[in-house]
Amino acid sequence: MGKEKYVRFEAYQVNCIHGKKEKLFDISNLLGDIRNLNLKDRKFFYNGEQVELNSFGELIPNDESYAKYGRKKLYYFYMIRKRDDGLAIIKDQENEELKDLSLEEDEYVAEDITGIFDTGNHILFIQRNIHSLSVTGFEAYLNYMNNKINENDNKLIKLEPVMDKKVIGNIGRKSTIKDVTLKIASRDIKNSCLFDTLIPGIKKWDPNYIEIKLSSGRKKDARLCKKELKKEIEAFKDGENYIKFKVSAKDEGQKVEKFDLLKGKLVHYEKFSTVKNGERVHISPFAIRQRMQEVYLGEGDYNGEAFKERIEKNI
């Protein structure tokens, strides 16, 4: 039985498009409005599964953080994705047999997600789990609830990953793009130039995932189009949830270098215990929220560079 689990955190900048204008957007008022709704009205169905905002409130940084970063407010939120009970099974470690997880009609398997929103830079610092709500799903939730609460608002909220400028810059400076590999869940495709072109035929296969590799071949001076790669990178930055995005590129007379754009996102990993008093337990949302604040602001026993400062270097 594993005693520790790595939890991944990523950063996104929140924008909105209204008419032809795009600008940074503060989602704290919207999250507060959602939390003030009764539970039934907070629900949203995304890909057939129920999503809801469970809690929302203001974080209180310590005095040192206030002195260092000013008094821009930080908010936390906690969301639940409820998986269908028909898919719920359990397995013990000693036995190969899978068993149904017995649930009542009104019970679900809940997958949670915790986030922090920084009003100073309009930054969303968010927990990512393999089974929790995706960033695309959270974006869809915000837009659905904004349209529900603010009728005729006609605003489109967008979450754009904060990228390490060095990775994007290094790809852009290479003279020749040799190959590109992309993989994405078919349900998440919305902005990709490449996948949008291919999707009518691919849809007939009804796949869950799509992976494509484009290669210029072995000819010495053959290359892929940098202009199209740039468009695909912009789609990625606009919130396309790629599972794989790898690029091989080179300069004249040099060896090919490989770049992984998913690793080019600003990411942080923390290890949490999943065992208490000898029994396996769910990781406490409060523990995750507390550690996220420490990592983001450089508080508590966290002695690395504050994630907020890493973000400010790359936006």
Side-chain angles (χ1 to χ4, degrees):
M1 180 184 293
K3 295 184 178 181
E4 294 179 318
K5 179 180 179 181
Y6 279 100
V7 177
R8 174 185 175 112
F9 304 105
E10 295 177 352
Y12 292 78
Q13 194 159 42
V14 184
N15 293 269
C16 75
I17 299 174
H18 198 187
K20 295 183 179 180
K21 294 182 179 179
E22 183 170 351
K23 62 181 181 179
L24 296 175
F25 183 62
D26 185 340
I27 58 171
S28 59
N29 288 333
L30 175 59
L31 290 170
D33 289 342
I34 297 170
R35 183 62 184 86
N36 288 334
L37 297 173
N38 63 50
L39 186 60
K40 182 183 71 172
D41 290 333
R42 278 184 254 149
K43 299 183 189 303
F44 169 63
F45 283 87
Y46 181 71
N47 290 325
E49 294 176 340
Q50 189 172 296
V51 178
E52 65 188 49
L53 180 71
N54 183 267
S55 61
F56 168 77
E58 186 177 348
L59 287 175
I60 307 301
N62 63 25
D63 292 340
E64 187 178 340
S65 294
Y66 269 135
K68 188 174 184 179
Y69 299 119
R71 298 197 172 257
K72 293 293 185 181
K73 292 185 177 180
L74 289 181
Y75 294 92
Y76 72 87
F77 62 88
Y78 175 61
M79 293 194 67
I80 296 291
R81 168 180 172 246
K82 295 179 176 179
R83 287 199 283 128
D84 185 89
D85 58 352
L87 301 177
I89 54 174
I90 55 175
K91 176 185 181 299
D92 63 54
Q93 190 156 356
E94 313 278 317
N95 195 326
E96 290 300 318
E97 184 181 357
L98 297 175
K99 302 174 184 177
D100 289 337
L101 180 59
S102 179
L103 298 172
E104 299 297 329
E105 287 187 7
D106 60 349
E107 291 181 325
Y108 293 82
V109 177
E111 304 288 355
D112 52 8
I113 182 171
T114 300
I116 290 175
F117 180 70
D118 180 352
T119 60
N121 292 309
H122 301 83
I123 292 295
L124 177 70
F125 186 45
I126 195 165
Q127 169 193 355
R128 299 298 314 278
N129 294 333
I130 190 168
H131 292 301
S132 65
L133 183 66
S134 68
V135 172
T136 301
F138 182 59
E139 184 182 86
Y141 182 82
L142 290 176
N143 279 298
Y144 172 81
M145 296 305 298
N146 184 60
N147 290 333
K148 180 176 182 176
I149 293 170
N150 304 302
E151 292 184 21
N152 303 316
D153 185 51
N154 297 322
K155 176 185 287 121
L156 178 65
I157 300 169
K158 294 174 60 182
L159 307 178
E160 298 186 359
V162 179
M163 303 293 296
D164 187 332
K165 288 181 178 179
K166 292 179 181 177
V167 174
I168 302 296
N170 287 341
I171 294 173
R173 283 189 287 272
K174 296 297 178 183
S175 61
T176 303
I177 307 300
K178 295 301 292 181
D179 61 63
V180 178
T181 303
L182 304 167
K183 182 178 181 180
I184 195 167
S186 59
R187 68 186 185 184
D188 287 338
I189 297 171
K190 59 175 184 173
N191 296 320
S192 165
C193 303
L194 177 60
F195 284 119
D196 278 349
T197 303
L198 298 172
I199 203 68
I202 292 174
K203 280 279 190 184
K204 295 176 183 177
W205 293 77
D206 194 25
N208 288 319
Y209 300 95
I210 303 168
E211 181 171 346
I212 294 174
K213 181 171 182 178
L214 304 175
S215 175
S216 64
R218 294 188 177 183
K219 289 186 178 180
K220 186 177 179 180
D221 49 354
R223 64 191 65 195
L224 297 176
C225 179
K226 286 184 73 174
K227 181 180 178 181
E228 292 304 314
L229 175 61
K230 185 177 179 181
K231 289 180 184 178
E232 206 64 35
I233 289 174
E234 288 304 314
F236 172 69
K237 290 167 68 177
D238 279 346
E240 205 68 77
N241 272 350
Y242 290 99
I243 299 165
K244 186 185 293 184
F245 195 145
K246 296 184 177 181
V247 178
S248 295
K250 58 176 286 189
D251 283 322
E252 192 66 34
Q254 301 295 317
K255 290 184 178 180
V256 170
E257 289 186 56
K258 296 184 177 181
F259 301 90
D260 188 333
L261 267 76
L262 266 65
K263 291 180 179 177
K265 286 199 280 189
L266 290 190
V267 174
H268 179 81
Y269 291 91
E270 280 286 319
K271 202 184 291 184
F272 292 85
S273 174
T274 58
V275 174
K276 184 177 181 179
N277 299 326
E279 294 185 2
R280 190 168 181 175
V281 296
H282 179 72
I283 301 174
S284 160
F286 176 78
I288 289 185
R289 186 179 87 203
Q290 185 176 38
R291 192 55 177 168
M292 287 179 76
Q293 177 175 336
E294 292 172 350
V295 169
Y296 190 75
L297 297 176
E299 295 181 348
D301 63 359
Y302 180 71
N303 54 17
E305 181 183 21
F307 207 86
K308 180 179 175 71
E309 292 180 22
R310 289 182 63 193
I311 289 168
E312 289 174 350
K313 293 174 183 176
N314 286 280
I315 56 175

